[in-house]
């Protein structure tokens, strides 16, 4: 069953209230906040490549508070072990059996800070839970619950002693974006509120976590015309044939773009996807999934510029309102 116009209106209203709530903390970054909630309601994960002090932790905490959920922050370091994230089994002498002690991954919103500083073995501990929302320890699966989103960060400047995320793990993130520094007006407002430390502030919850789960289910029912699917397929195929690209976008990336476009359309009060939804999300969803040719990188080509060029060269379908 497809989403109805009335359901789309309800979805858009709650989505707008969630964004407005987080906007109180992350001033002047409405589009980034919208992307974050789009990732959450698309049942995906978010990668932030940004400088220190731009509000990444505040964003994760504000999202968790808005949906009345739990949040945890894990500082990734070279000596971090997989069990420090997933949890470990400890032998209980009284009971005579092993008892599983949950790690910080068992939260609604998990901030993996500077994820590229941990070893590949530790990074890989996130692969299963990001894809299947469960952790397997000693052959026993433990679901992490719903909603669940990993917000991972990496510093684009300090690369010494870091381990680059492999393509398989980058593909697990539905989107990659950056918060960036606030503009002048937002900076002034932040400085005027300097009497209150960031971690001391709290937001009123807008909805319960169960409502987010229902919204995610509802977003999957947004109507997608065959012409839109064809448009997404042509964009993805374009990444594979572009001269500057050594490795194009996978099928998982194409599915991620459609899922995100469904949520984005619902957030704007529509029960159907239009080409502009795909265009708005193409760069954050597709760019990080491509591997450029070294010569193209040397010439200053970026994945974002490749996506921008593809959007120009790939003709979108004519818009048709779904009934």
């Amino acid at each position: 069953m497809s989403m109805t116009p009335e359901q789309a209106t309800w979805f858009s209203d709650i989505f707008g209230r969630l964004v407005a709530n987080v906007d109180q903390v992350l001033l002047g970054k409405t589009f980034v906040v919208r992307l974050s909630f789009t990732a959450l309601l698309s049942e995906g994960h978010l990668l932030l490549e940004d400088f220190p002090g731009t509000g990444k932790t505040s964003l994760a905490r504000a999202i968790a508070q808005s949906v009345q959920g739990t949040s945890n922050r894990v500082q990734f370091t070279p000596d971090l072990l997989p069990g420090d994230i997933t949890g470990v089994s400890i032998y209980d002498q009284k009971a005579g059996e092993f008892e599983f002690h949950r790690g910080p991954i068992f939260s609604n919103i998990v901030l993996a800070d500077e994820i590229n500083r941990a070893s590949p073995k530790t990074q890989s501990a996130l692969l299963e839970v990001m894809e299947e929302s469960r952790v397997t320890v000693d052959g026993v699966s433990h679901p992490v619950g719903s909603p669940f989103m990993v917000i991972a960060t990496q510093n684009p400047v300090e690369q010494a002693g870091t381990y680059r995320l492999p393509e398989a793990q980058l593909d697990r993130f539905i989107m990659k974006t950056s918060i960036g520094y606030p503009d002048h007006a937002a900076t002034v407002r932040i400085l005027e509120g300097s009497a209150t430390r960031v971690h001391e502030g709290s937001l009123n919850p807008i909805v319960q976590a169960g409502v987010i789960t229902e919204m995610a289910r509802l977003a999957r029912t947004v109507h997608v015309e065959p012409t839109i699917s064809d448009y997404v397929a042509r964009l993805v195929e374009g990444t594979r044939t572009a001269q500057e690209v050594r490795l194009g976008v996978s099928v998982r990336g194409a599915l991620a773009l459609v899922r995100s476009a469904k949520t984005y359309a619902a957030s704007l009060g529509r029960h159907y996807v239009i080409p502009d939804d795909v265009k708005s999300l193409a760069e954050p969803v597709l760019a990080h999934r491509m591997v450029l040719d070294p010569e193209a990188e040397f010439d200053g080509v970026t994945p974002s510029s490749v996506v921008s060029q593809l959007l120009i060269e790939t003709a979108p379908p004519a818009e048709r309102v779904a009934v």
Side-chain angles (χ1 to χ4, degrees):
M1 180 180 292
S2 297
M3 177 186 283
T4 64
E6 293 75 21
Q7 289 173 325
T9 301
W10 173 80
F11 189 105
S12 176
D13 176 62
I14 295 181
F15 192 98
R17 288 160 54 198
L18 289 168
V19 171
N21 202 43
V22 176
D23 272 345
Q24 299 177 61
V25 173
L26 211 66
L27 302 177
K29 298 297 178 181
T30 301
F31 184 65
V32 175
V33 176
R34 292 190 71 89
L35 285 181
S36 302
F37 277 112
T38 299
L40 174 64
L41 294 169
S42 301
E43 300 174 292
H45 309 281
L46 184 66
L47 178 61
L48 298 175
E49 185 170 88
D50 225 327
F51 306 107
T54 52
K56 300 182 291 291
T57 304
S58 299
L59 173 62
R61 185 185 296 113
I63 291 175
Q65 291 174 345
S66 297
V67 303
Q68 206 169 11
T70 57
S71 66
N72 268 324
R73 176 179 179 271
V74 183
Q75 184 66 50
F76 278 61
T77 56
D79 60 347
L80 190 73
L81 299 175
D84 296 331
I85 301 171
T86 60
V88 294
S89 294
I90 299 177
Y91 186 72
D92 187 338
Q93 291 184 339
K94 291 184 178 179
E97 59 184 18
F98 283 92
E99 181 182 357
F100 179 66
H101 289 245
R102 296 185 170 194
I105 199 67
F106 288 87
S107 291
N108 296 125
I109 309 295
V110 179
L111 178 64
D113 209 5
E114 296 191 277
I115 188 174
N116 55 335
R117 293 202 176 277
S119 67
K121 181 178 181 180
T122 301
Q123 291 176 9
S124 66
L126 289 173
L127 289 177
E128 179 191 21
V129 68
M130 289 174 65
E131 186 71 16
E132 302 178 21
S133 297
R134 65 181 183 184
V135 170
T136 301
V137 177
D138 296 333
V140 180
S141 294
H142 306 273
V144 294
S146 179
F148 171 70
M149 179 169 73
V150 173
I151 301 178
T153 73
Q154 55 184 11
N155 189 335
V157 178
E158 298 176 356
Q159 297 297 321
T162 62
Y163 302 88
R164 182 176 176 177
L165 290 177
E167 279 66 36
Q169 186 157 339
L170 283 173
D171 213 21
R172 295 296 198 278
F173 290 98
I174 197 169
M175 294 182 195
K176 176 186 175 185
T177 188
S178 62
I179 298 176
Y181 293 119
D183 58 23
H184 177 75
T187 301
V188 171
R189 289 177 60 193
I190 293 171
L191 295 177
E192 288 175 347
S194 60
T196 303
R197 301 190 65 180
V198 175
H199 68 271
E200 293 176 349
S202 61
L203 295 174
N204 294 323
I206 301 299
V207 294
Q208 294 182 343
V211 175
I212 297 298
T213 303
E214 173 60 21
M215 290 177 71
R217 184 200 63 78
L218 197 59
R220 295 197 294 267
T221 67
V222 172
H223 180 75
V224 179
E225 286 278 336
T227 53
I228 297 293
S229 299
D230 176 73
Y231 181 47
V232 171
R234 286 186 285 122
L235 284 172
V236 169
E237 289 163 3
T239 67
R240 301 169 189 163
T241 57
Q243 293 183 344
E244 305 91 343
V245 180
R246 187 177 63 182
L247 180 65
V249 175
S250 67
V251 176
R252 183 188 283 121
L255 288 169
L257 184 53
V258 172
R259 283 165 47 204
S260 302
K262 286 182 175 184
T263 304
Y264 196 76
S267 75
L268 297 175
R270 277 185 279 102
H271 62 290
Y272 56 90
V273 175
I274 63 174
D276 281 349
D277 299 326
V278 176
K279 292 178 181 179
S280 298
L281 298 173
E283 192 274 331
V285 173
L286 301 181
H288 68 284
R289 302 172 191 272
M290 294 187 291
V291 178
L292 296 182
D293 183 83
E295 291 186 8
E297 277 190 294
F298 184 77
D299 292 337
V301 177
T302 64
S304 296
S305 66
V306 173
V307 174
S308 298
Q309 186 62 32
L310 283 173
L311 289 173
I312 294 172
E313 296 174 351
T314 308
E319 293 185 18
R320 289 197 303 165
V321 175
V323 180

